């Protein structure tokens, strides 16, 4: 029979403690009964073995998390550091060398030793590079297609030690420009000019600039990317065309309506004076003839709106250059209208998924608050085979653009003559439709198809010359 552990009982005032080798009991609550106090005992048992088990579980969970985090960081570092050529060297060092020693093959041992030596030699080239302070600046944010922008790359050694030669990569759109960095002493700065080609319309992201440390053989590589990214807008080429107040656009004063008002621009008739009429509208010649006051009446006019419709359907253009010509023509006309202070709407077709093309219609409305906003939007648009057809864009634009008086439809040479003749049927009566047909292989001309003027342009300057000729 196992002897019972010796117990110890201590009573101090209102606190009673019972202690043995396994349990701890605490009694510490007093309750008031009648005129005195009575004690109520609550007992709580804590096992030393259970506490130790809980501590072990917590420690194991923390250790597991630390091991997982360290393993993940190590795998990420290895994948970012070892190049494809480096994996071949690592394979030679970690696989061929042990295999050669096991089989006794001198060739495998030699290949493994070469790989091991290359790894050891390449490690010192990864040192440094984090003490660089890199800044890249562009002098402008917007340029016209066909130009070139020169940016400045500034690299400074902000540490108190020498920095070995390295390389800085500057992503430019889908391309990459690498700049060699020489040996930099503490506090020294190296500046390099970086050319950003802006030959075609589009949005070019320059950056983030990345410092690269690598050995001459490209076995190991370490990169550090800087977060700053510069966005360069390459606007379409535009030409100065005649004012939209002349030529095809003769309705700057607005379209007259059937409503007769006392004050406007379009004169209608003369009537007898009535109390409340303004004296400035009195027609004195009629007053002299009739012997009574006569005043003028006017037809109410509404401000007209010019609309530009740009087709984005790839099937309606013969080539990419043809589409670029259409974008430039739409931009030239839109810039002229904004500068003339016209009410303007510029729309283009949206991409519609094939499965929803029969049920969904959508157009894109471009920014016309300023010439910069319009050109920025034209910079980002691209043709697509999923874009709506020209007739669908015209029909939807006629519904959503109020007070439309004249519509310029810009399209490619793949639009047939039959479609051009029927294009005016997509607009309500009273809307003048002018088609700008872009055909780099065609002949500049002006013709009338079923009452619809069609301007065929080969180059952008043809658009200006044809409009100037019509104005004259």
């Amino acid at each position: 029979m196992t002897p019972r552990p010796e117990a110890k009982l201590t009573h101090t005032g209102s606190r009673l403690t019972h202690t043995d080798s396994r349990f701890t009991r605490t009694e510490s609550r007093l309750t008031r009964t009648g005129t005195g106090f009575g004690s109520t005992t609550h007992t709580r048992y804590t096992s030393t073995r259970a506490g130790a088990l809980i501590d072990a579980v917590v420690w194991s969970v923390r250790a597991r998390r630390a091991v997982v985090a360290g393993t993940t960081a190590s795998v990420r570092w290895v994948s970012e550091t070892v190049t494809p050529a480096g994996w071949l060297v690592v394979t030679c060092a970690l696989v061929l060398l042990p295999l050669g020693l096991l089989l006794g093959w001198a060739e495998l041992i030699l290949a493994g030793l070469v790989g091991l030596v290359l790894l050891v030699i390449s490690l010192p080239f990864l040192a440094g590079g984090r003490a660089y302070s890199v800044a890249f600046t562009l002098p402008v944010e917007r340029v016209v297609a066909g130009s070139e922008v020169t940016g400045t790359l500034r690299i400074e050694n902000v540490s108190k030690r020498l920095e070995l030669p390295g390389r800085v990569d500057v992503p430019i759109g889908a391309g990459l420009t690498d700049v060699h960095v020489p040996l930099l002493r503490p506090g020294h700065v190296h500046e390099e000019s970086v050319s950003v080609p802006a030959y075609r319309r589009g949005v070019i992201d320059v950056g983030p600039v990345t410092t690269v440390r690598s050995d001459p053989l490209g076995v190991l590589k370490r990169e550090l990317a800087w977060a700053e990214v510069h966005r360069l807008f390459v606007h379409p080429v535009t030409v100065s065309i005649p004012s939209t107040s002349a030529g095809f656009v003769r309705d700057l004063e607005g379209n007259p309506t059937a409503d007769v008002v006392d004050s406007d621009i379009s004169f209608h008739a003369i009537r007898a004076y009535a109390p409340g009429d303004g004296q400035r509208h009195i027609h004195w010649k009629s007053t002299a003839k009739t012997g009574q006051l006569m005043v003028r009446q006017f037809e109410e006019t509404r401000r007209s709106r010019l609309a530009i419709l740009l087709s984005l359907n790839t099937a309606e253009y013969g080539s990419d250059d043809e589409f670029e010509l259409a974008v430039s023509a739409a931009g030239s006309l839109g810039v002229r209208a904004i500068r003339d202070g016209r009410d303007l709407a510029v729309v283009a077709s949206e991409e519609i998924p094939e499965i929803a093309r029969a049920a969904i219609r959508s157009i894109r409305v471009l920014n016309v608050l300023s010439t910069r906003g319009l050109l920025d939007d034209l910079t980002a648009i691209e043709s697509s085979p999923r874009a709506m057809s020209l007739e669908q864009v015209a029909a939807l634009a006629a519904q959503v653009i109020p007070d439309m008086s004249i519509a310029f439809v810009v399209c490619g040479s793949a639009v047939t003559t039959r479609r051009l003749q029927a294009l005016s049927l997509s607009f309500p009566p009273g809307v003048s439709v002018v088609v700008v047909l872009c055909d780099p292989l065609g002949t500049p001309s002006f013709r009338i198809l079923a009452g619809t003027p069609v301007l065929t342009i080969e180059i952008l300057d043809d658009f200006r010359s044809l409009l100037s000729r019509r104005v004259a």
Side-chain angles (χ1 to χ4, degrees):
M1 182 176 179
T2 304
R4 185 176 180 179
E6 181 181 357
K8 182 179 181 181
L9 182 64
T10 305
H11 180 269
T12 305
S14 62
R15 185 177 181 87
L16 181 64
T17 304
H18 177 274
T19 307
D20 58 20
S21 60
R22 293 184 56 191
F23 300 97
T24 300
R25 184 177 68 187
T26 303
E27 301 171 326
S28 57
R29 183 175 178 184
L30 299 178
T31 58
R32 184 171 182 178
T33 58
T35 58
F37 289 91
S39 64
T40 302
T41 303
H42 290 271
T43 306
R44 183 176 57 187
Y45 298 94
T46 303
S47 174
T48 306
R49 294 180 180 177
L53 181 60
I54 293 174
D55 292 340
V57 172
V58 172
W59 180 87
S60 62
V61 170
R62 291 178 178 175
R64 178 179 173 276
R65 291 179 179 176
V67 170
V68 170
T71 303
T72 303
S74 301
V75 171
R76 186 187 303 113
W77 183 88
V78 171
S79 62
E80 294 175 353
T81 304
V82 182
T83 64
W87 285 113
L88 179 61
V89 174
V90 170
T91 302
C92 293
L94 300 182
V95 177
L96 297 185
L97 182 57
L99 188 60
L101 293 174
L102 181 62
L103 300 178
W105 289 4
E107 294 82 358
L108 296 182
I109 295 175
L110 180 60
L113 289 176
V114 170
L116 184 60
V117 170
L118 289 178
L119 281 177
V120 173
I121 293 176
S122 60
L123 285 175
F125 287 93
L126 300 181
R130 295 188 179 273
Y132 285 158
S133 175
V134 181
F136 182 79
T137 56
L138 283 175
V140 293
E141 295 181 352
R142 293 168 176 84
V143 294
V144 179
S147 58
E148 190 173 281
V149 181
T150 301
T152 302
L153 180 64
R154 186 179 185 275
I155 306 166
E156 180 182 1
N157 181 8
V158 296
S159 67
K160 297 182 179 180
R161 62 179 183 275
L162 285 174
E163 283 294 330
L164 297 175
R167 189 178 87 239
V168 173
D169 290 342
V170 184
I172 301 176
L176 186 68
T177 299
D178 57 335
V179 178
H180 174 72
V181 182
L183 180 72
L184 289 181
R185 290 180 292 175
H188 277 228
V189 176
H190 175 73
E191 290 189 355
E192 192 85 18
S193 297
V194 178
S195 177
V196 180
Y199 303 132
R200 294 186 65 87
R201 177 189 59 86
V203 180
I204 301 176
D205 288 333
V206 183
V209 178
T210 305
T211 57
V212 182
R213 285 289 186 182
S214 178
D215 58 278
L217 296 179
V219 176
L220 300 179
K221 179 181 65 174
R222 194 187 67 184
E223 298 180 348
L224 177 63
W226 301 79
E228 188 175 12
V229 177
H230 297 268
R231 175 156 290 184
L232 180 65
F233 290 88
V234 184
H235 286 171
V237 178
T238 57
V239 294
S240 178
I241 62 176
S243 173
T244 57
S245 302
F248 292 110
V249 191
R250 304 176 186 273
D251 58 344
L252 183 61
E253 295 181 351
N255 296 324
T257 66
D259 300 330
V260 178
V261 294
D262 293 333
S263 178
D264 213 307
I265 299 177
S266 180
F267 175 75
H268 175 64
I270 296 176
R271 63 169 175 82
Y273 177 85
D277 290 337
Q279 295 184 2
R280 62 190 182 95
H281 296 308
I282 296 177
H283 193 262
W284 294 107
K285 289 185 179 181
S286 299
T287 300
K289 290 180 181 179
T290 59
Q292 62 177 344
L293 292 175
M294 306 293 292
V295 294
R296 300 182 184 90
Q297 281 186 309
F298 302 88
E299 286 182 335
E300 184 182 12
T301 58
R302 295 193 179 103
R303 181 122 174 122
S304 61
R305 177 166 296 181
L306 184 148
I308 302 173
L309 281 69
L310 177 62
S311 170
L312 299 185
N313 195 307
T314 305
E316 296 174 348
Y317 293 94
S319 62
D320 292 339
D321 292 337
E322 195 170 294
F323 176 70
E324 293 300 324
L325 179 60
V327 174
S328 296
S332 301
L333 188 59
V335 169
R336 179 75 267 177
I338 292 175
R339 290 175 178 172
D340 289 345
R342 297 295 304 263
D343 282 346
L344 176 66
V346 181
V347 297
S349 53
E350 284 279 15
E351 292 188 21
I352 305 297
E354 190 69 29
I355 59 175
R357 184 166 296 181
I360 297 178
R361 297 288 184 270
S362 178
I363 58 175
R364 181 187 312 179
V365 180
L366 276 61
N367 182 7
V368 294
L369 296 178
S370 64
T371 57
R372 173 182 291 185
L374 174 61
L375 293 176
D376 282 351
D377 284 356
L378 287 174
T379 297
I381 63 174
E382 296 292 341
S383 62
S384 171
R386 296 183 298 273
M388 292 194 308
S389 64
L390 189 60
E391 292 82 2
Q392 293 173 332
V393 176
L396 188 55
Q399 299 176 15
V400 301
I401 301 178
D403 301 330
M404 187 192 308
S405 61
I406 185 169
F408 279 85
V409 180
V410 185
C411 59
S413 62
V415 181
T416 62
T417 303
R418 183 182 298 272
R419 294 177 61 186
L420 293 179
Q421 291 175 342
L423 192 59
S424 59
L425 300 178
S426 302
F427 296 91
V431 177
S432 301
V433 180
V434 180
V435 177
V436 180
L437 187 66
C438 302
D439 187 4
L441 302 179
T443 302
S445 62
F446 172 80
R447 52 183 171 154
I448 303 292
L449 290 178
T452 301
V454 178
L455 287 80
T456 302
I457 61 175
E458 181 183 3
I459 58 176
L460 192 57
D461 285 337
D462 295 336
F463 191 34
R464 173 171 51 191
S465 60
L466 287 173
L467 289 178
S468 300
R469 200 175 304 167
R470 296 303 302 174
V471 170

